[in-house]
Amino acid sequence: MQNLNRISLSGLRAIEAVARLGSLGAAAAELGVTAGALSQRISRTEAQLGQPVFDRTSHGLRPTDTGALVIARLLRGMTELSAAVSLADPIQEDVLNISAAPLFASRWLIWRLPRFHSQHPGIRVRIEPVVTMITPGVDGIDIGLRVGGGDWPGVRTQKLLDQRVLPVCAPALARDIKTPADLLELPLIRENDHFAGWREWLALHEMSFQKIAAGPEYADGGLCLDAAISGQGVFMAWETLAADAIADGRLVAPVPGRALSGDAYWFVSATEGRRKPAIAKFHKWLQDELLSVTHADAARP
């Protein structure tokens, strides 16, 4: 490993952070330096390596062919280093650091945490709302709550619940909906011009996705849900995220039926290392909470 003596470890960290986070700005924020300083650090490290790791383009830094090979090993190596440091750190048994998607954290999880605190008053929960997937066991994260196929390498995954979707709208708009076909005559709210879940839901009613009415488009699922609450149209929502608005009457499901989206909710933790007893307690509580939402929705016509 003598070749490491001539390379700056901080420079290797800079390269890894840019590759992992996708931008110079995000990496600079994580490492606590300015983007300019980080760029200079990367340039110095490339000089030490003897060739560029990134191409500078108008769209940001892009790995060179050799850089892609270097980065792949750096990502694995830095993950292992971080995990090694975590093993040596004193464990705070009464603290859970949880990474979750911002929409799931703000629309569903945060409103139910008081029930967890009442059951386990000695456990403190910290939520880190991030879009990027953080690996548990690295950077102080104990648990990751993810939606997807569950095929993420290097982590322990436990399936919580299949994700289901259903069309929702404001009560006033629901008065005009008598059949599934009526939905397609109304404005359909879309997220980034996507119609996720519609094909699966229509298949339950032996319908195909045909020409649809124009509808509003928003770049965020939370805004789409709010648009439905305000009466702007029909939105195909995750049943978990729409559950509270349905329960208090701000939204209704005008036509019965929930469709599987093909994804699921997953409880993600580290594959090895010391495991806090609090992790298992949070897993059991979270699974019960998710199942209670599903059962409540299934009981409704």
Side-chain angles (χ1 to χ4, degrees):
M1 296 187 183
Q2 291 184 349
N3 60 345
L4 291 178
N5 294 337
R6 63 184 179 85
I7 307 296
S8 164
L9 179 58
S10 64
L12 295 177
R13 284 194 69 202
I15 292 171
E16 184 272 343
V18 169
R20 172 168 47 83
L21 298 173
S23 75
L24 196 64
E30 178 178 276
L31 297 176
V33 298
T34 66
L38 190 63
S39 179
Q40 292 178 15
R41 186 181 298 178
I42 291 172
S43 296
R44 287 195 298 270
T45 306
E46 288 176 320
Q48 292 170 340
L49 291 170
Q51 58 183 302
V53 175
F54 293 108
D55 284 327
R56 276 69 174 170
T57 74
S58 58
H59 299 290
L61 300 180
R62 296 291 182 269
T64 62
D65 290 342
T66 299
L69 298 175
V70 171
I71 286 166
R73 293 191 176 243
L74 276 180
L75 290 170
R76 294 195 296 270
M78 291 300 177
T79 297
E80 287 298 310
L81 283 173
S82 181
V85 172
S86 295
L87 287 174
D89 278 346
I91 283 186
Q92 292 181 284
E93 298 285 357
D94 62 343
V95 177
L96 282 179
N97 295 296
I98 300 172
S99 167
L103 186 59
F104 181 75
S106 64
R107 293 283 179 152
W108 191 87
L109 181 59
I110 195 69
W111 301 100
R112 288 160 175 79
L113 280 180
R115 289 202 283 268
F116 178 79
H117 293 316
S118 68
Q119 295 177 29
H120 305 283
I123 300 175
R124 291 180 291 155
V125 175
R126 296 173 179 166
I127 304 295
E128 184 165 345
V130 290
V131 176
T132 56
M133 293 185 179
I134 297 177
T135 302
V138 177
D139 296 329
I141 295 297
D142 300 304
I143 300 166
L145 303 180
R146 299 181 182 176
V147 176
D151 52 348
W152 302 290
V155 293
R156 180 172 183 252
T157 58
Q158 296 169 276
K159 187 176 180 179
L160 292 166
L161 185 72
D162 285 317
Q163 185 195 67
R164 301 194 304 175
V165 295
L166 73 160
V168 295
C169 65
L173 195 61
R175 300 190 190 105
D176 298 323
I177 302 173
K178 307 300 181 185
T179 69
D182 292 336
L183 293 175
L184 302 185
E185 301 297 325
L186 296 170
L188 299 190
I189 301 167
R190 63 209 77 182
E191 182 179 355
N192 293 320
D193 202 27
H194 294 161
F195 292 93
W198 275 102
R199 295 184 189 279
E200 292 81 0
W201 188 87
L202 289 171
L204 292 178
H205 299 274
E206 299 181 344
M207 297 172 60
S208 60
F209 202 63
Q210 301 171 350
K211 185 177 180 181
I212 60 171
E217 175 186 342
Y218 299 100
D220 176 79
L223 292 177
C224 291
L225 204 60
D226 288 337
I229 291 172
S230 69
Q232 297 180 40
V234 180
F235 180 53
M236 187 62 65
W238 298 1
E239 67 174 335
T240 48
L241 302 187
D244 292 340
I246 291 174
D248 62 26
R250 288 174 293 152
L251 285 175
V252 296
V255 181
R258 280 125 170 99
L260 294 173
S261 71
D263 289 327
Y265 293 92
W266 297 87
F267 190 93
V268 184
S269 54
T271 56
E272 56 187 34
R274 293 174 291 173
R275 297 181 61 81
K276 300 178 182 179
I279 292 176
K281 294 177 181 178
F282 191 83
H283 174 264
K284 174 64 169 60
W285 171 82
L286 182 63
Q287 191 163 48
D288 290 344
E289 286 289 331
L290 285 168
L291 288 174
S292 70
V293 170
T294 303
H295 292 159
D297 283 345
R300 295 188 179 96

